[in-house]
Amino acid sequence: PRIGELRPWLEQRASEALGTTVQIGGIAAISNGLIPSIELTQVRLLDPQGRDALVLPSVQAALSPHSLLRMGVEQLYIAKPVLDIRRTADGRFWIAGMPLPESSSDDSPALDWLFAQSELAIVGGTVQWTDELRGAPVLALQEVNLVLRNRLLSHAVRLDAQAPAAWGDRFTLSGIFREPLLARHAGHWRGWDGQLYASFPQVDLAHLRRYVDLGVDLAQGQGALRAWVDVKQGAATGATADVQM
């Protein structure tokens, strides 16, 4: 009943663990059995410049005896988040105001925790991609749905999103990856092996080429694209494409 009093303490602990400023609008317990689930509202992660890097209107965390023993959750359900992803002029990637590790030896407590949870579900999100290195306009993806399932040494992910109307139809990215047997950190994705699948039922390449190196100087093109990309130690090593242009 008095769980709201934990909000300042939770903000401080989350900020320390993630290495970025975390603000929580409200916290409540939802009693549906012996172990309640927790709902956080209006959660904000700020980047070093104080901008909103991640806005979460509602986060529901389902708990279980097993998840409590490992200091985690059974499922995270996030509704309508707004996420900022950017590549700075020095080529470094930042997600929700936090830098991605640049090598397999770099630690990221936030990624370690995320990839140790059983399941993450995001519904109706918005992703804003800023590429300062290319100098391209900000790209906004709408109605983003993401499911991430983590099991012992394996990770499965699927993302469905809608690009701007001029780009084409809704697209899908999915992948299955496996950690090395002796991996010490779940978040060291640069050591993973697996396969990534991409499906673009209808895409305008004139827009895509502004954000992705297609390997050719393409002025215009429309059609459909499917691709299977082999991943070895976090890097693409080969691909098979089914193209109709």
Side-chain angles (χ1 to χ4, degrees), residues 41-80:
T41 56
Q42 294 304 315
V43 179
R44 282 180 161 80
L45 274 67
L46 307 182
D47 67 11
Q49 287 72 41
R51 300 171 298 202
D52 283 341
L54 178 61
V55 179
L56 307 175
S58 174
V59 180
Q60 294 185 18
L63 307 176
S64 69
H66 175 69
S67 68
L68 291 176
L69 287 175
R70 55 183 173 82
M71 296 299 292
V73 299
E74 196 65 31
Q75 183 193 56
L76 274 176
Y77 179 87
I78 303 174
K80 298 182 178 180

Side-chain angles (χ1 to χ4, degrees), residues 25-233:
I27 178 173
I30 304 173
S31 180
N32 53 9
L34 291 177
I35 301 179
S37 58
I38 305 298
E39 182 178 17
L40 306 177
T41 56
Q42 294 304 315
V43 179
R44 282 180 161 80
L45 274 67
L46 307 182
D47 67 11
Q49 287 72 41
R51 300 171 298 202
D52 283 341
L54 178 61
V55 179
L56 307 175
S58 174
V59 180
Q60 294 185 18
L63 307 176
S64 69
H66 175 69
S67 68
L68 291 176
L69 287 175
R70 55 183 173 82
M71 296 299 292
V73 299
E74 196 65 31
Q75 183 193 56
L76 274 176
Y77 179 87
I78 303 174
K80 298 182 178 180
V82 179
L83 172 64
D84 178 76
I85 302 177
R86 64 180 59 235
R87 180 169 63 169
T88 53
D90 60 2
R92 190 160 197 190
F93 289 90
W94 294 71
I95 298 180
M98 295 175 289
L100 277 183
E102 294 188 285
S103 69
S104 59
S105 61
D106 291 343
D107 293 336
S108 174
L111 289 181
D112 287 344
W113 186 88
L114 175 64
F115 289 117
Q117 307 313 306
S118 297
E119 182 174 304
L120 166 69
I122 295 176
V123 178
T126 298
V127 175
Q128 296 178 344
W129 163 244
T130 303
D131 193 339
E132 298 175 0
L133 184 61
R134 282 183 176 267
V138 176
L139 173 62
L141 302 178
Q142 306 291 337
E143 293 300 320
V144 176
N145 296 336
L146 171 72
V147 176
L148 170 65
R149 293 189 174 97
N150 303 302
R151 299 295 183 264
L152 182 63
L153 298 180
S154 67
H155 309 275
V157 60
R158 173 173 173 138
L159 180 145
D160 296 272
Q162 178 64 55
W167 281 60
D169 293 338
R170 190 171 177 84
F171 66 89
T172 297
L173 299 175
S174 62
I176 299 178
F177 306 97
R178 187 166 183 83
E179 296 180 34
L181 181 61
L182 301 179
R184 295 185 302 167
H185 297 276
H188 281 177
W189 58 273
R190 291 185 180 274
W192 295 359
D193 298 338
Q195 188 176 70
L196 178 68
Y197 170 74
S199 174
F200 295 85
Q202 181 67 31
V203 62
D204 187 334
L205 296 182
H207 293 282
L208 185 62
R209 68 188 292 269
R210 303 175 69 181
Y211 299 88
V212 179
D213 185 4
L214 300 176
V216 294
D217 187 13
L218 186 67
Q220 64 181 18
Q222 293 182 342
L225 168 67
R226 294 188 300 169
W228 295 260
V229 181
D230 297 321
V231 176
K232 187 73 173 178
Q233 294 187 350

